[in-house]
Amino acid sequence: MKLIIINSVLFLAFRLTAFFMQLNPADLTKWFTLPEGVSEFILQPWAFITYSFVHFSFLHILFNMIWLYMFGRIILNLFSGKRLLTIYLLGAIFGGLFFVLSYNVFPVFENKRGFLLGASGAVTALMAFIATYSPNTQLRIFMFNIKLWHIAVFLILADLIRLSTSDNAGGLLAHLGGAVFGYVYAVQLAKGNDIGKWFENILDWFENLFKTRKQKPFKKVHRTPKKSGGAKEFDKSNHQKKVDAILDKIGKSGYDSLTKAEKDFLFKAGRKE
């Protein structure tokens, strides 16, 4: 919801400012959108992130925010908000990199100029991540329950088919870049490799810059005699085994197959982590 609010407030702010100041919205947002030229984006490297918070029209932001909400709430059933933010921002970065590389490498874009804006690359990363990590989880769209991997495959294939004829090739390239990142992240995480941990550490460092001394936890070291940790370690092992069993059930049958007790246990386990 915070990401949706930030995107919505920025969209409204840019629109109203352009209206009252009689400015072209494109001129107002050009320092936040991502250009394709090396000589341009090298002067505004922040655009690899900020472009994902800038939208062209009401329908543009509306559909992006709907998808963000639908996939985001599923991710938050399994992971923390920080991980969702990591996937969103890194998905935007990789989507932007794929856009820039494509426009500067492939001959088809040699005489074309463009710029990138919108959250669709970041949202596609979220979609690809959760569709890979929990493919059989179902999402209700209108009157139908559809598995996440079906939705992901359909949308990615649609982007690939439209790529050669669309006047929004840059946006479609960002979708594909975000999808590749989300897929790789989920595959590696399932193997026990958190490739986004370094970025979460950066977010923690950045967050601590704005904390007052009272907000920062005070650490005091107490030396206590060593006690047998066998029982505690056994409890932790059983707890992890139960979490793994629930995640396996989600992967095979979808999130909706869980009992209320299993959903409550998974939610509490996620909060503790």
Side-chain angles (χ1 to χ4, degrees):
M1 289 307 301
K2 290 179 181 178
L3 283 173
I4 292 174
I5 291 171
I6 291 172
N7 275 283
S8 301
V9 168
L10 288 175
F11 174 76
L12 188 60
F14 283 129
R15 284 283 162 175
L16 290 177
T17 301
F19 171 74
F20 284 113
M21 301 301 294
Q22 289 295 285
L23 297 172
N24 187 330
D27 293 333
L28 192 62
T29 59
K30 67 179 181 180
W31 284 103
F32 301 96
T33 58
L34 180 62
E36 96 292 342
V38 177
S39 60
E40 295 174 291
F41 71 71
I42 201 170
L43 297 176
Q44 50 187 90
W46 58 84
F48 280 96
I49 289 180
T50 58
Y51 85 86
S52 64
F53 293 92
V54 180
H55 290 84
F56 177 73
S57 66
F58 176 72
L59 289 179
H60 187 201
I61 188 173
L62 176 64
F63 284 106
N64 277 340
M65 295 304 101
I66 289 174
W67 286 116
L68 173 57
Y69 175 76
M70 295 174 74
F71 293 119
R73 66 187 180 89
I74 299 175
I75 291 175
L76 290 177
N77 283 327
L78 300 174
F79 303 101
S80 67
K82 187 171 293 182
R83 176 155 293 167
L84 185 148
L85 180 60
T86 296
I87 300 168
Y88 181 95
L89 294 179
L90 286 179
I93 292 172
F94 275 82
L97 286 172
F98 199 72
F99 159 75
V100 167
L101 287 174
S102 298
Y103 263 73
N104 287 277
V105 171
F106 297 118
V108 68
F109 300 114
E110 186 175 354
N111 296 319
K112 294 183 180 180
R113 290 181 56 81
F115 58 89
L116 188 62
L117 75 163
S120 52
V123 173
T124 304
L126 293 172
M127 175 196 70
F129 171 83
I130 195 60
T132 303
Y133 193 86
S134 183
N136 293 317
T137 297
Q138 296 184 352
L139 188 63
R140 188 168 184 82
I141 299 179
F142 299 114
M143 302 290 292
F144 306 97
N145 290 328
I146 306 176
K147 291 183 178 180
L148 292 182
W149 78 267
H150 291 160
I151 297 173
V153 169
F154 173 79
L155 293 177
I156 292 171
L157 285 178
D159 285 343
L160 288 171
I161 292 171
R162 291 185 297 150
L163 186 59
S164 61
T165 57
S166 175
D167 58 356
N168 183 33
L172 299 179
L173 289 169
H175 295 179
L176 297 175
V180 170
F181 170 75
Y183 171 79
V184 172
Y185 195 167
V187 169
Q188 290 300 311
L189 192 63
K191 295 178 180 178
N193 303 320
D194 187 354
I195 63 175
K197 186 62 178 177
W198 63 273
F199 194 80
E200 289 189 20
N201 292 335
I202 292 176
L203 292 178
D204 287 335
W205 174 82
F206 189 76
E207 183 182 2
N208 286 332
L209 290 178
F210 298 93
K211 283 185 177 180
T212 63
R213 182 170 295 181
K214 291 182 179 180
Q215 291 175 313
K216 293 180 180 179
F218 177 72
K219 295 181 180 180
K220 187 175 182 180
V221 178
H222 295 276
R223 295 191 177 186
T224 55
K226 291 185 177 180
K227 297 180 180 179
S228 174
K232 190 173 183 180
E233 290 175 1
F234 179 75
D235 290 342
K236 286 185 177 179
S237 176
N238 284 340
H239 180 273
Q240 187 60 45
K241 286 181 180 178
K242 189 171 182 180
V243 171
D244 292 339
I246 294 174
L247 292 177
D248 288 340
K249 185 176 180 181
I250 293 174
K252 293 177 181 177
S253 307
Y255 179 76
D256 291 335
S257 67
L258 299 183
T259 65
K260 184 178 184 303
E262 289 172 330
K263 290 179 181 179
D264 291 341
F265 178 84
L266 192 61
F267 176 77
K268 292 177 181 178
R271 292 293 293 270
K272 288 179 181 179
E273 292 177 359

